[in-house]
Amino acid sequence: MTFPVNTISLNDGTSIPQVGLGTYRLEDDDAYRVVSDAFVAGYRHIDTARIYQNEAGIGRAIRESGIPRDDLYITTKLWNGDQPKARDAISSSLDRLGLEHVDLYLIHWPAPQRGTYVDAWKQLEVLQEDGLTTSIGVSNFEPEHLDAIAAVSDIVPVLNQVELHPLFQQKALRAEHAKRGIATEAWGPLCHGSVDLAAEMPTLVNLAERYSKSIAQVILRWHIQHGTIIFPKTSSKERLVENIALFDFELNAADMGEIDGFDAGRRLGTAPADGNWD
Ligand SMILES: NC(=O)c1ccc[n+]([C@@H]2O[C@H](COP(=O)([O-])OP(=O)(O)OC[C@H]3O[C@@H](n4cnc5c(N)ncnc54)[C@H](OP(=O)(O)O)[C@@H]3O)[C@@H](O)[C@H]2O)c1
């Protein structure tokens, strides 16, 4: 059984499936298996990055799936040390993926200590013009980083991929995105797998029972109703199906408010200023 997935319109006239699959920590062989299973479950949107070292496995799954290229939405990302040579980096990613273009190419971290992300954005503009990527965007950018690229470029990132989940809701940044016409993508939508969801947010147990859904589905549906693009990672076949079955129920306003109330400003991953690895 497959499930219908909403799409979100982006500021360059394209659109993106609101739910996809995250692939962080899935190495090539696992990525091949999980992405193949995900395609069978109905996923068409896959999020990867050069640094995840799984683009080749994902490429194999894409080729063997037989799914028409136009039906897929593939995102990959420019790693920090590659910022000065974005064309080489995307060419290598495309070789590994076995694709002629990706749908979305993101600057993975601003890594402002390097002083290269603004120039990297200018390079991404050219890669887009040359058709190597359909859309361009950013990840882990704060408003000051968005300002810095706006100062040199008329092209607004289609989206910003940031840590976002019930314990860290990024309300100010989301409002900033809305003002600038930038869509919000959540990484770590299920709290990055690093907390016990029921223990941290006990009332989710009752909510899940009331909707006859899992706690994960209630959280993912909360993201959907906020208009956020999500790509939870799982290596389990059952959870792949669970995490995309989100469009046959709706949280009422009171229950949305209950989850909004869990915001603790609690980052579980790396802060933008610290994401400066080579
Ligand atoms: N741009 C960035 O800097 C950045 C940073 C981090 C991540 N990301 C992207 O965002 C994606 C998602 O974030 P994430 O992987 O950090 O965390 P996440 O999707 O919030 O959580 C993944 C964890 O939740 C578990 N899980 C998945 N579905 C579940 C379910 N239905 N019920 C219970 N547990 C479930 C997974 O375990 P099992 O595998 O055992 O199911 C895994 O441990 C990544 O894979 C990556 O593509 C981007």
Side-chain angles (χ1 to χ4, degrees):
M1 183 175 177
T2 58
F3 299 91
V5 170
N6 278 355
T7 55
I8 298 280
S9 297
L10 302 176
N11 67 24
D12 63 358
T14 63
S15 61
I16 182 171
Q18 195 176 2
V19 183
L21 174 72
T23 63
Y24 180 46
R25 294 207 175 99
L26 290 175
E27 289 182 5
D28 263 329
D29 285 348
D30 281 339
Y32 164 71
R33 174 182 59 79
V34 175
V35 171
S36 299
D37 289 342
F39 287 150
V40 172
Y43 289 72
R44 292 296 179 266
H45 167 190
I46 307 293
D47 181 89
T48 182
R50 194 278 265 167
I51 201 68
Y52 302 168
Q53 297 186 313
N54 60 19
E55 291 169 318
I58 292 172
R60 199 172 133 215
I62 291 171
R63 276 191 303 285
E64 291 182 14
S65 74
I67 298 171
R69 174 67 185 89
D70 286 353
D71 291 354
L72 295 175
Y73 195 99
I74 309 296
T75 300
T76 194
K77 312 186 190 91
L78 175 67
W79 188 240
N80 300 338
D82 294 335
Q83 285 184 359
K85 38 178 184 142
R87 181 174 293 270
D88 289 349
I90 196 170
S91 299
S92 303
S93 285
L94 291 171
D95 281 351
R96 285 187 291 270
L97 286 162
L99 297 177
E100 288 180 358
H101 73 280
V102 284
D103 298 276
L104 177 60
Y105 199 49
L106 303 178
I107 298 178
H108 204 147
W109 294 87
Q113 303 87 334
R114 295 168 186 265
T116 51
Y117 74 88
V118 175
D119 177 66
W121 182 253
K122 297 297 289 176
Q123 296 176 60
L124 259 57
E125 287 183 358
V126 181
L127 301 179
Q128 182 181 32
E129 269 167 33
D130 291 350
L132 300 178
T133 180
T134 305
S135 296
I136 56 177
V138 295
S139 176
N140 299 301
F141 272 41
E142 299 282 17
E144 69 194 89
H145 309 124
L146 297 172
D147 287 342
I149 58 175
V152 300
S153 170
D154 292 333
I155 299 190
V156 178
V158 289
L159 57 80
N160 188 12
Q161 180 180 122
V162 295
E163 178 178 347
L164 200 171
H165 45 71
L167 299 174
F168 190 63
Q169 297 188 13
Q170 299 261 34
K171 286 179 186 148
L173 186 59
R174 273 185 353 216
E176 197 57 48
H177 290 166
K179 213 166 73 191
R180 298 171 190 242
I182 297 174
T184 302
E185 274 196 332
W187 63 255
L190 293 171
C191 298
H192 206 29
S194 52
V195 301
D196 178 338
L197 300 171
E200 290 285 342
M201 297 170 275
T203 52
L204 281 179
V205 178
N206 306 330
L207 277 187
E209 264 175 29
R210 195 141 46 72
Y211 287 94
S212 301
K213 295 288 172 181
S214 68
I215 288 176
Q217 285 173 313
V218 168
I219 293 176
L220 296 174
R221 180 69 205 183
W222 168 83
H223 284 288
I224 295 290
Q225 288 181 218
H226 274 302
T228 305
I229 302 153
I230 50 174
F231 30 87
K233 173 263 164 188
T234 182
S235 30
S236 134
K237 228 173 175 168
E238 292 70 32
R239 286 172 170 177
L240 277 175
V241 174
E242 183 181 327
N243 293 351
I244 202 172
L246 304 174
F247 296 94
D248 60 351
F249 74 113
E250 189 169 343
L251 300 172
N252 67 34
D255 295 336
M256 284 296 287
E258 170 91 26
I259 303 175
D260 289 343
F262 291 134
D263 194 6
R266 190 168 146 206
R267 240 183 233 292
L268 300 171
T270 303
D274 299 332
N276 185 33
W277 312 270
D278 280 321

